[in-house]
């Protein structure tokens, strides 16, 4: 995809997330890898509902900003995913309500915070790691992601929000939507003793769709 088309696509996907209430105000940030190895990144303090393709921050392949507005202060998160997951073509970070709420519950498993309620969350996300709370913009967020050594495509920062990396922009947005919807399901079913996928069913999904799991 040309850089011009990627700029348009990034802003369109962000606007869709905003319109459906998955992020509000000036929260959230999004980035995508260009064909030349550089990155396009949403600016700091910008609303997903009104991103301007011409004002996206552009970084070259060496990590130097070459044009656009000042990028999101959450760049450490984005950089860490691109550095540790060679297949990453896009990263999305939101402050979506249900994912954040689930991150605050003491019974949430930090090694795999989404219960196995549907095959789709497993297919699109694998295991989702719950990371500790970090102050917004704290470079330690990136260090925490690097500490996973590329083993997770999705994490949730406690009391903050989810971050998802995927092969391209569309896949990253779809995975983020799946994360939020599964967190919503988990909260709706809290205390109801729902019937979850069995270990055999989970293993079948993991094997059939070549999911990063162990």
């Amino acid at each position: 995809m040309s850089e011009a088309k990627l700029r348009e696509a990034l802003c369109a996907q962000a606007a869709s997330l905003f319109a459906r209430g998955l992020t509000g105000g000036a929260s959230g940030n999004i980035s995508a890898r260009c064909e030349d190895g550089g990155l396009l990144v949403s600016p700091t303090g910008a609303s997903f509902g009104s991103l301007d393709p011409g004002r996206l921050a552009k970084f070259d392949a060496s990590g130097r900003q070459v044009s656009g507005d000042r990028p999101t202060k959450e760049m450490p998160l984005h950089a860490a995913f691109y550095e540790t997951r060679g297949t990453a073509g896009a990263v999305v970070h939101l402050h979506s309500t249900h994912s954040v709420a689930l991150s605050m519950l003491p019974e949430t498993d930090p090694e795999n915070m989404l219960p196995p309620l549907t095959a789709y969350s497993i297919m699109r996300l694998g295991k989702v790691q719950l990371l500790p709370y970090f102050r917004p913009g704290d470079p330690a967020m990136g260090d925490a992601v690097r500490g996973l050594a590329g083993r997770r495509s999705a994490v949730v920062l406690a009391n903050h929000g989810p971050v998802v990396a995927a092969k391209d922009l569309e896949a990253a947005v779809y995975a983020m939507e799946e994360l939020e919807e599964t967190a919503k399901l988990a909260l709706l079913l809290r205390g109801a003793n729902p019937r979850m996928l069995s270990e055999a069913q989970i293993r079948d999904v993991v094997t059939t769709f070549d999911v990063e799991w162990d």
Side-chain angles (χ1 to χ4, degrees):
M1 184 184 296
S2 70
E3 182 177 318
K5 288 184 176 179
L6 185 60
R7 286 175 178 271
E8 294 287 347
L10 187 151
C11 293
Q13 292 284 9
S16 176
L17 291 168
F18 182 86
R20 287 174 292 127
L22 288 164
T23 194
S27 69
N29 35 81
I30 186 169
S31 65
R33 179 76 74 189
C34 302
E35 287 184 345
D36 63 7
L39 292 177
L40 293 175
V41 184
S42 57
T44 187
S47 169
F48 268 30
S50 57
L51 292 182
D52 181 342
R55 298 182 64 176
L56 298 176
K58 172 68 186 293
F59 290 79
D60 64 19
S62 68
R64 179 175 62 94
Q65 185 172 0
V66 294
S67 65
D69 291 352
R70 187 159 59 96
T72 171
K73 61 180 172 293
E74 311 290 19
M75 273 301 292
L77 278 175
H78 294 254
F81 270 109
Y82 289 115
E83 289 171 19
T84 58
R85 293 185 63 83
T87 59
V91 174
V92 180
H93 169 42
L94 302 182
H95 302 163
S96 43
T97 303
H98 299 94
S99 302
V100 174
L102 193 61
S103 79
M104 300 178 193
L105 298 180
E107 66 267 28
T108 297
D109 180 0
E111 297 298 318
N112 187 16
M113 70 169 285
L114 294 181
L117 297 171
T118 73
Y120 295 97
S121 67
I122 296 170
M123 290 162 55
R124 293 194 186 278
L125 298 158
K127 289 183 178 179
V128 178
Q129 187 88 18
L130 176 61
L131 296 177
Y133 168 79
F134 296 97
R135 171 184 50 77
D138 187 344
M141 291 187 293
D143 295 335
V145 171
R146 290 184 187 89
L148 299 174
R151 291 183 292 105
R152 296 288 177 261
S153 66
V155 302
V156 176
L157 301 165
N159 303 73
H160 184 161
V163 194
V164 171
K167 64 179 181 178
D168 57 36
L169 189 60
E170 185 176 71
V173 169
Y174 288 171
M176 178 60 80
E177 291 173 325
E178 197 68 48
L179 198 166
E180 176 64 5
E181 286 303 306
T182 306
K184 182 178 181 179
L185 274 176
L187 292 170
L188 286 171
L189 293 167
R190 189 180 180 212
N193 193 29
R195 183 176 61 253
M196 300 189 192
L197 297 182
S198 68
E199 287 296 327
Q201 289 168 330
I202 293 170
R203 184 54 54 185
D204 177 58
V205 172
V206 167
T207 302
T208 301
F209 296 99
D210 193 26
V211 176
E212 296 176 271
W213 191 253
D214 297 319

